[in-house]
Amino acid sequence: MTSRTQRVVMVAAYGDNRVIGNEGAIPWRIPEDFAHFKAVTLGHTLLMGRATWDSIGRPLPGRSTVVLTRDRDWAPAGFEDTVAVAHSLESALALCADLPGDTIIAGGTQVYVAAMPHASHQILTEVHQSPLGDATYPTFALAEWVETRREPRPDLGLDWVWWERNG
């Protein structure tokens, strides 16, 4: 798969209807979940699709960034020296293997779907809402995964859930 033993961790927040986004935006505003995302991704490498990059617009501090895009002419304007660009999942994972920490898959839908077979872990926020949206988190075979930890936060209307792939 890659040049070193690599944890590939899917990190996402999704609604009860699996929605993760709508028109390039997250359909809820939960500051505590942004803090959770920061806590679980600091020191690691974020792998995201170009639309997710566009919605953020800059590299996030304390993390390396790899953007996956089919557009061979695309570049992260103003960040060419600090953001790596890949044109296939395999090349993206290879780039991530040479960068710090785990590879954190940070969206969007197409990247989550493509990366799921490579994932060793998932850190998911189950947001107890069903917003309208045009981007979703993929379903995954529960038999292939073990839930290792769950932090219910009824005060926030969410659960933070950690999963590890069987075997």
Side-chain angles (χ1 to χ4, degrees):
M1 173 167 39
T2 55
S3 60
R4 69 168 162 92
T5 302
Q6 178 181 32
R7 282 178 25 134
V8 176
V9 184
M10 311 276 276
V11 177
Y14 64 87
D16 292 334
N17 57 355
R18 303 198 85 75
V19 164
I20 59 172
N22 191 35
E23 298 180 0
I26 297 171
W28 47 74
R29 182 106 182 111
I30 307 171
E32 294 86 350
D33 192 51
F34 287 124
H36 171 72
F37 178 84
K38 181 178 181 179
V40 300
T41 63
L42 268 176
H44 299 290
T45 297
L46 298 177
L47 170 55
M48 65 186 71
R50 195 231 2 107
T52 300
W53 165 266
D54 287 347
S55 72
I56 298 169
R58 63 181 173 80
L60 295 174
R63 289 152 278 198
S64 301
T65 304
V66 175
V67 178
L68 178 59
T69 179
R70 289 183 289 266
D71 182 351
R72 296 206 173 262
D73 296 324
W74 184 86
F79 301 104
E80 293 86 353
D81 293 340
T82 57
V83 174
V85 177
H87 303 291
S88 72
L89 181 64
E90 292 70 26
S91 63
L93 290 172
L95 284 169
C96 291
D98 292 329
L99 293 169
D102 296 334
T103 297
I104 305 292
I105 308 299
T109 298
Q110 292 178 26
V111 177
Y112 286 131
V113 168
M116 185 67 78
H118 301 273
S120 57
H121 297 77
Q122 298 184 74
I123 303 172
L124 302 176
T125 302
E126 297 174 350
V127 179
H128 302 303
Q129 300 178 24
S130 293
L132 294 176
D134 56 14
T136 57
Y137 191 77
T139 57
F140 54 94
L142 292 176
E144 295 178 13
W145 295 88
V146 174
E147 183 179 314
T148 60
R149 182 174 158 199
R150 177 176 290 265
E151 284 186 34
R153 290 295 306 266
D155 56 319
L156 301 175
L158 60 79
D159 289 13
W160 287 311
V161 188
W162 286 257
W163 296 87
E164 289 183 24
R165 191 179 290 277
N166 285 331

